[in-house]
Amino acid sequence: MDEYLRARWRQISPGASDDFLAGRGGVDALVTLVVQLQQSGFPVSVRDLLRSPTVPLLAEALREQVIGAAGEYPAFADLWAESTSVWSSEVHTLVPLAAGTGLPLFFVHTGLGQVRFIERAVDRFRRGRPVYGIEAIGLRDRTRPPLSMVEIADQYVAQMRRVQRHGPYSIGGFCMGSHVAFEMAHRLTQAGEEVAVLALMPSAFSLDAGLNSIRPGIRQRPAGIGLSDLYLERLAYVQLMFGDLDLDANRSDVLDAFEQTFWLDGVKPEDFFWHAAVTAATAFAQENYDPRPYPGPALVFQTARTATGEAADWSPVAPNARTYVFDEPDSLAIMRTPEFSDAVATPRPSR
């Protein structure tokens, strides 16, 4: 068992010692090890790595079968089977955030599915215009979201056009939602519509790592990763954030912390694991998205700490993009700046 675990660990973190917490890959390496062990049938969670943080200690725990089973939590397949297909009824996830006159602004949710948090900044940039948010499908009900970026974009464009039949359109998006907004711009221009503003905010939160500022088409995970794997990965990340904590018994506390840290709102404790399934589905769509370059104008808003690295450069997929880098902690702070308000202003009348 020791050698098996050691080989797995060093494949993930080459040159690492037997100490999991001293590995070179940090959080990503720990999560990858947990997911791989779970896929191999070992009932391991991230909290078990915190309790047994070396190869010998984890091997001993496995031999003594004192590991907390991953089966404590609902299986992804069961959650998915108990939900409703997105194609069975009309989707309504468009949220009015501010009333006004003139051409509206539309903003697509983060990877966690929420968008209502921009109410805190909306009056700083809208200049009297109406503002709408688009929440993730499945965030507030048990509807399965689409599994491709194109299908998600089509769903959101259809909702947007119920409010504004024709362009010019103003669209924005956060984190994973910046990729959806990017594809929405493609869908609209292919339909002969004008996209006057495409505001891309690939890094929403102050806790985001630089990799969260990635452009469309950059893979963050191995090819072929499945929905169940991504679901386990999501739970593993949450487990790592909260340490030695039973997610099932403490789901209300976890959601409270997510509300404070990631501006998540409205997810009920009984939907905690379903929400993890929804975020896994949107991550799957993002991982399997192969974008075409968008020829129109675009605006990329990044924080200084997430704007570095080749993956943060949107020019390969948006050659006409203009990038703004702010010494601000997060997207809400950026949206409160005069520069953001000026950039997204479109005083043109609709046709």
Side-chain angles (χ1 to χ4, degrees), residues 3 82 92 109 137 145 154-155 168 181-182 184 194 209 270 275 278 303 315 326:
E3 289 306 314
E82 294 165 0
H92 296 277
H109 58 82
I137 295 168
D154 280 342
Q155 288 276 351
F182 178 85
M184 290 170 68
E194 179 186 356
E270 59 266 31
H275 179 256
V278 169
T303 63
S315 62
F326 294 84

Side-chain angles (χ1 to χ4, degrees), residues 8 12 27-37 39 222 233 236:
R8 279 292 184 98
I12 295 167
V27 172
D28 288 339
L30 295 179
V31 171
T32 299
L33 178 62
V34 167
V35 170
Q36 287 189 7
L37 290 175
Q39 290 170 340
E233 179 189 273

Side-chain angles (χ1 to χ4, degrees), residues 274-292:
W274 168 249
H275 179 256
V278 169
T279 59
T282 56
F284 181 86
Q286 180 175 347
E287 285 294 310
N288 291 280
Y289 180 41
D290 292 314
R292 303 90 71 210

